[in-house]
Amino acid sequence: MRTASPASLVRDAHTSVRRSSLRRQLQGIVDGKTDASGLDLDDARLDAAAVIENMTRKRSMQSSTVQRLVVAFKSSGVADDVVERLAARSPQQRVQSARIVGALRIYEAVPWVAGLLESRDRSVSDAAARALGRIGGASSARALVKAINRKGLNRRLVAELARAAPDLFVETALGEPQPQSVRPALAIAAGLRRRRAAIGPLIGLLQTGSRRERVISCRALGWIRATTAAPLLADALLDRDWKIRMSAAKALGALRARSARDDLKYLRIDRNARVRKAAEYALGRLG
Amino acid sequence: MTRAPLEWNRPAPGRPVLAERRPNEGPKRTERPAPAFHDMMSRLATLERAPVFFSVQEATLRALARRLRRVKVAAGEMILYQGEPGDTIFFIERGRCRVVIERPPGAVTVALLADGDFFGEAACLLSRRQQASVYAQTDCYLLALDRQSLHGAMTSREPEALDELQKLADQKQRTFADITVQATWGLLLHEATVVGVYSPKGGSGGTCISLNLVGALSRRYPGEVLLLDLDFPYSHSALLAGLVPTSCLARMSSLPQESFEEVLLSAVLYHAGGPMILPGALRPEEADEVTPELVTRAIAVLRKSFRYIVVDLGVTITDSTLALFDLTQHVVVVTAPEMSAVKSAADALDILVQLGAPHDRLTVVLNNRSIKPAVTKSAVERSLKRPVDVEVGFDATRPEQAAVEGVILSLTNPKSEVARGAEALASLLDVKHSREGAEAVPAVPPGAGGAEER
C-alpha cells in the first residue's frame, strides 16, 4: 500500500484550508457581509468551481444565493475574468470557468460557452455541455442541438439538451425538418423531459419516422406515461422490426397498459430473444 | 496590464460585451440569429399589446423582442399541461387558446385567450407548477419567452417591471383558482343585486364612489361583489385599484354562447381585499363593442355568480347605459356641490324617473370635492327636489393619493371621509336589498383589510 509523502499531506491540508476559506468568503457574499473583490479562483488545485457548484446546487437562478453571487461577481469584475478564462490555453482553466459559469447560470456567457462545445478536448466540451444544461434557455438549447448535429447522438449532449430546453422547444423542433442525427436526439430529450406536450409530436414520429426514430419514440412515450398512445404502441408490437417490437413492449410495461396484456403474451413466443425478454418484463410490470 | 472594467449592464445594443477578444485566441462566439425587420416589428407589436408591458421602456421591449422564439401549434394540440413545471411565457400572436383547469371528474374552461394575450407566466415567474392546461383551439402562432431570456433582458434594465409581472402572475393565478371553485361547485345560488352608479358630470367622483362602495360591500361579502366598469371611453377602475387588466367585456362580443360564461368570468380581476373588477374596455376604440345585447348577456351571467354587481356608468348616457338602467335594482346618482353638476344631476334624476326608476330605488350622493363647497347642501336638495341620501365629506388629497398608490380607501383607511361615505351607502343598499335569511359576514376590523397584504 502506497502512503502519501509528508510534503503532499501538508500540501493537501493547505489546499483544504484555502478551500474552506473560499467557502466562508462565498458565504459572506451570500450573507451580504463582504464583496467578491478579493476572490482568487485561479488556483487549479483549489477547485473553486466545485465549491461554487456545491453552494448553488439545487438552487434556481432566481434564488437569492445565486443572485447575490452573480451580482457580486459581476460588480467586482470576477465574472469578466471567469469569462475571459473560457479562452485560456489550459483545458483545466476552461473547464473550471465553464463550471463556474454554469453554476452561477450566467446567461450572458452562453455564446462563449457554446463555442467550447467544439473543443476536441472531451473534458472541455463536456463541461461546456453541462454548463449550458444548467444555464438553460433557448440559446443554450440551440447550441446543444447544433453540437448534436455536428457530433452525432451523444449521451451528454442529449441529457443536457433535455435539461436546458425551455417549454415547447423540443416539441417544436420535432415537427420541423431536421438532420438525420438530430431528430432521434430530440425524441430522447422529449422523453427525458417527461412533458405531456411532447406526446403529439412523438406519436407523429412513431407513425411516420424512420426505424430508429420509431424505436426511440416508443421508449419516450413510455417514459412520459402517455396512456393515450397505448393503442398505437400495441399496434407496434406487430411490427416487422424486432427493435420496434421490443421498445413498444417496454413502453407498454412502463404504461402498465392492461389492455395490451394479450398482445404481450403473444410476444412471449417471439423469434427474437430480446423481444421475448422485453415482453416478460412488461407482463411483470402489469402484474 | 490594466483592463478597463467591462459593462455588463449596458442596455443597448442588446448583445452583452463580456470580454475583449484577442485575435486568433479564445472561444468562438455563436451568434444569435437577428430577426428581420418585419419580423421584429411584428414581435414588438405583440409585446406592446400585452398590458403588462405598457410601462416597459422601448429598449427593454426591443431586447425582449429579439429574444422571442416563434412557435406554431396546430389546432387541438396541447401547449401546457396542468401540474407540470414550466419556464416560458407564451404570447399569442395569432389564434385562440383554451385554458382548462382539470379537476376530476370534470374540467373547467377558465379562459379563452386570443391575439395579444399571454399565458404560462405563473410557472415561469413564480417557479410554480402549471395551474392549468392550455390547448390550441385554432392554429396558433405563439411567441415564446423563456425565463433565462426574460431575466437576461429585464433584470439589469427594469427590475421593477419584473416585480410587476410577478404580481400580475400571482393575481391571475388566484383569479383562476376562484373561478374554478365557483364553476365546479356552484356555491352561489342567489342572483345579484345590480347597482348602477351614475355621475352626470365628469369630475364628480363617480368612479371613486363606485370603487369604494365595492370595497365597503366586499368587506361584508368578500369575493361576492363585482365592479363592472362601463365608464367609457377610459375604464380605469382596475388600475385605480392596483390591478392590471388583461381582458375586458368588449372582447367578449364575438364569443359563441357556449364559451361566453367561462371566458367572461375569466376576465374578472380579483383584488386581495375582496372586491372583483371587470373592465368594460381596455382601449377607447373597444367601447363601441359594448352593445346593449352584450351588456344584457353579461349581466345575466354575472348575476348568478355574485351578490352585488356595482356598475360604474360614467358620464354619458348611451344605448348600453339605458339597457343597464332597465337591469338595475338601484341607481346611485353622484353629484358634486357645483352649479353645473347639480343641474346635470337634476336632469338625470328626471330622466331616471321618466324611465320608471322608483323613488326608493334612487339614491343621491353628494361628494364634497372641495373644502368650501360652492353650493350648500340645502341648495342642492332644493335644486334636486329630493333629499341627499349620503354626503361624502371633503377628504383632502386622500382620494388622489389612493389613486396614485392603487389602493381602495374603504379597505385601507376606513376612517377617511370617502370610506365613511361608501360605508353609509353600503349600509343603505344592504338594508334595501338584503336577502331574507342571508347573514352578512361582519365587516373586517379597520386595518385588517386585505389590500395591504398585497
Side-chain angles (χ1 to χ4, degrees):
Chain A
M1 189 182 136
R2 274 183 67 190
T3 52
S5 69
S8 70
L9 284 173
V10 169
R11 207 165 44 235
D12 288 350
H14 187 231
T15 308
S16 298
V17 169
R18 288 185 57 205
R19 197 173 291 158
S20 301
S21 162
L22 175 65
R23 196 175 297 121
R24 279 197 300 275
Q25 213 172 345
L26 290 171
Q27 193 57 51
I29 293 169
V30 172
D31 297 339
K33 293 175 186 165
T34 178
D35 59 12
S37 53
L39 275 182
D40 176 23
L41 308 175
D42 276 344
D43 192 348
R45 287 174 57 84
L46 190 61
D47 198 7
V51 178
I52 298 171
E53 278 175 344
N54 269 333
M55 289 195 76
T56 58
R57 186 163 290 150
K58 293 186 178 172
R59 291 182 198 277
S60 72
M61 66 182 290
Q62 290 158 296
S63 70
S64 59
T65 302
V66 176
Q67 296 259 348
R68 284 183 181 176
L69 284 175
V70 169
V71 168
F73 274 46
K74 283 181 178 176
S75 55
S76 63
V78 173
D80 296 334
D81 293 337
V82 169
V83 175
E84 272 205 354
R85 276 203 298 278
L86 287 173
R89 286 187 189 284
S90 151
Q92 283 87 356
Q93 281 201 337
R94 278 185 279 164
V95 168
Q96 284 278 320
S97 296
R99 285 171 66 193
I100 293 172
V101 164
L104 296 176
R105 280 89 157 165
I106 302 180
Y107 179 73
E108 295 91 332
V110 166
W112 282 267
V113 180
L116 294 186
L117 288 173
E118 290 177 28
S119 172
R120 286 181 190 164
D121 191 317
R122 181 72 183 264
S123 63
V124 174
S125 59
D126 271 8
R130 279 176 203 267
L132 290 173
R134 293 195 82 171
I135 296 169
S139 309
S140 305
R142 247 181 248 127
L144 288 163
V145 169
K146 270 189 186 171
I148 290 168
N149 186 25
R150 204 169 45 244
K151 292 185 175 179
L153 203 56
N154 172 304
R155 267 186 206 183
R156 168 60 50 203
L157 292 175
V158 174
E160 298 306 335
L161 172 63
R163 205 193 221 186
D167 292 338
L168 238 55
F169 181 91
V170 175
E171 292 81 357
T172 313
L174 271 173
E176 291 168 353
Q178 297 288 354
Q180 208 176 0
S181 59
V182 173
R183 206 187 295 275
L186 288 169
I188 297 174
L192 290 174
R193 282 173 60 77
R194 289 170 167 71
R195 298 291 162 85
R196 298 188 73 83
I199 293 174
L202 285 172
I203 286 177
L205 208 60
L206 176 59
Q207 289 171 325
T208 60
S210 66
R211 171 177 170 266
R212 194 185 191 193
E213 288 164 4
R214 293 179 68 199
V215 170
I216 291 172
S217 57
C218 280
R219 295 304 307 278
L221 286 166
W223 294 335
I224 299 175
R225 304 270 192 275
T227 45
T228 49
L232 279 171
L233 289 168
D235 288 348
L237 291 176
L238 307 173
D239 200 275
R240 288 176 64 186
D241 192 297
W242 69 269
K243 274 195 174 178
I244 293 174
R245 291 200 303 275
M246 181 182 72
S247 57
K250 284 182 178 176
L252 286 166
L255 292 179
R256 293 186 167 81
R258 292 178 192 281
S259 57
R261 186 190 291 271
D262 291 342
D263 296 323
L264 284 167
K265 277 182 184 168
Y266 181 72
L267 232 57
R268 283 197 298 198
I269 52 167
D270 194 276
R271 61 183 176 275
N272 188 295
R274 290 179 69 180
V275 177
R276 292 199 297 271
K277 197 176 167 190
E280 287 293 350
Y281 161 81
L283 286 166
R285 295 289 299 265
L286 294 184
Chain B
M1 190 184 87
T2 54
R3 189 169 46 79
L6 300 170
E7 295 173 47
W8 279 85
N9 298 334
R10 195 167 63 175
R15 295 198 182 98
V17 179
L18 292 174
E20 296 158 289
R21 280 286 303 276
R22 283 171 224 131
N24 306 322
E25 200 178 318
K28 208 189 289 175
R29 181 182 158 161
T30 320
E31 291 296 325
R32 184 170 45 229
F37 176 74
H38 291 292
D39 184 18
M40 188 70 181
M41 294 307 288
S42 160
R43 291 167 183 225
L44 275 172
T46 306
L47 280 183
E48 280 169 349
R49 267 152 65 188
V52 75
F53 290 128
F54 278 168
S55 57
V56 172
Q57 290 169 11
E58 205 180 326
T60 313
L61 268 187
R62 279 203 303 273
L64 285 171
R66 267 195 296 273
R67 288 165 164 81
L68 288 172
R69 176 167 52 96
R70 283 191 178 279
V71 178
K72 191 196 165 191
V73 184
E77 287 287 321
M78 177 194 289
I79 302 170
L80 298 177
Y81 188 73
Q82 185 182 326
E84 287 184 346
D87 59 3
T88 304
I89 304 178
F90 293 95
F91 298 87
I92 304 175
E93 193 178 29
R94 201 145 36 96
R96 278 179 186 273
C97 296
R98 185 178 282 272
V99 184
V100 177
I101 293 187
E102 301 186 31
R103 203 173 256 219
V108 183
T109 301
V110 291
L112 189 69
L113 307 176
D115 303 5
D117 288 330
F118 58 96
F119 56 90
E121 70 286 344
C124 175
L125 291 160
L126 308 172
S127 299
R128 295 176 189 164
R129 293 193 167 256
Q130 301 288 2
Q131 198 192 9
S133 301
V134 181
Y135 295 88
Q137 208 173 23
T138 60
D139 283 354
C140 282
Y141 295 84
L142 308 174
L143 292 172
L145 182 66
D146 56 83
R147 184 185 294 151
Q148 289 79 7
S149 304
L150 181 73
H151 281 266
M154 290 185 85
T155 309
S156 56
R157 292 180 176 89
E158 289 187 70
E160 317 82 42
L162 203 56
D163 291 343
E164 279 299 312
L165 208 58
Q166 281 174 339
K167 269 188 199 170
L168 178 77
D170 194 40
Q171 176 192 319
K172 267 179 85 173
Q173 195 174 36
R174 275 184 286 138
T175 309
F176 279 176
D178 276 13
I179 287 163
T180 321
V181 169
Q182 287 184 23
T184 312
W185 298 327
L187 286 176
L188 301 161
L189 303 172
H190 302 282
E191 291 212 332
T193 303
V194 183
V195 180
V197 179
Y198 180 58
S199 159
K201 186 176 176 296
S204 302
T207 301
C208 174
I209 296 293
S210 49
L211 198 58
N212 282 285
L213 172 62
V214 168
L217 285 169
S218 62
R219 279 177 59 196
R220 296 154 194 251
Y221 313 109
E224 293 181 47
V225 184
L226 174 85
L227 173 62
L228 174 58
D229 187 0
L230 297 184
D231 185 3
F232 297 134
Y234 300 103
S235 312
H236 287 326
S237 293
L239 293 173
L240 293 176
L243 301 173
V244 182
T246 53
S247 188
C248 61
L249 178 64
R251 294 184 185 175
M252 317 288 155
S253 56
S254 56
L255 285 179
Q257 187 62 41
E258 60 272 16
S259 56
F260 182 76
E261 182 170 348
E262 289 93 343
V263 182
L264 181 73
L265 289 173
S266 74
V268 173
L269 301 165
Y270 176 74
H271 188 278
M276 295 174 124
I277 299 177
L278 175 61
L282 296 186
R283 293 158 183 269
E285 62 269 25
E286 284 177 340
D288 292 340
E289 301 286 328
V290 182
T291 57
E293 294 76 30
L294 180 63
V295 170
T296 311
R297 265 172 88 192
I299 291 289
V301 168
L302 296 170
R303 265 190 160 160
K304 294 178 198 159
S305 305
F306 296 94
R307 185 182 286 260
Y308 277 103
I309 300 170
V310 177
V311 188
D312 184 2
L313 294 167
V315 179
T316 51
I317 293 184
T318 60
D319 289 348
S320 311
T321 319
L322 288 172
L324 209 43
F325 279 138
D326 292 339
L327 299 169
T328 50
Q329 278 82 54
H330 204 110
V331 179
V332 178
V333 177
V334 182
T335 184
E338 298 161 13
M339 278 309 293
S340 54
V342 174
K343 172 78 172 63
S344 309
D347 292 344
L349 284 170
D350 282 345
I351 293 169
L352 287 170
V353 171
Q354 281 172 23
L355 286 172
H359 279 286
D360 64 331
R361 295 287 190 253
L362 278 173
T363 298
V364 175
V365 176
L366 182 63
N367 187 17
N368 288 294
R369 303 293 307 271
S370 58
I371 194 159
K372 280 190 176 177
V375 184
T376 60
K377 184 182 172 185
S378 54
V380 172
E381 287 176 338
R382 269 201 309 277
S383 301
L384 299 181
K385 294 172 195 158
R386 56 171 296 135
V388 169
D389 300 286
V390 176
E391 185 175 7
V392 180
F394 175 63
D395 213 358
T397 56
R398 277 191 192 132
E400 285 78 13
Q401 193 61 36
V404 170
E405 290 168 2
V407 295
I408 301 174
L409 279 174
S410 55
L411 292 172
T412 56
N413 187 357
K415 288 181 181 173
S416 67
E417 290 294 336
V418 170
R420 283 180 186 177
E423 194 59 44
L425 187 56
S427 304
L428 194 147
L429 290 172
D430 230 12
V431 168
K432 288 192 176 171
H433 302 282
S434 63
R435 292 172 188 162
E436 282 179 25
E439 289 289 325
V441 177
V444 183
E452 310 93 306
E453 290 163 23
R454 300 175 72 244

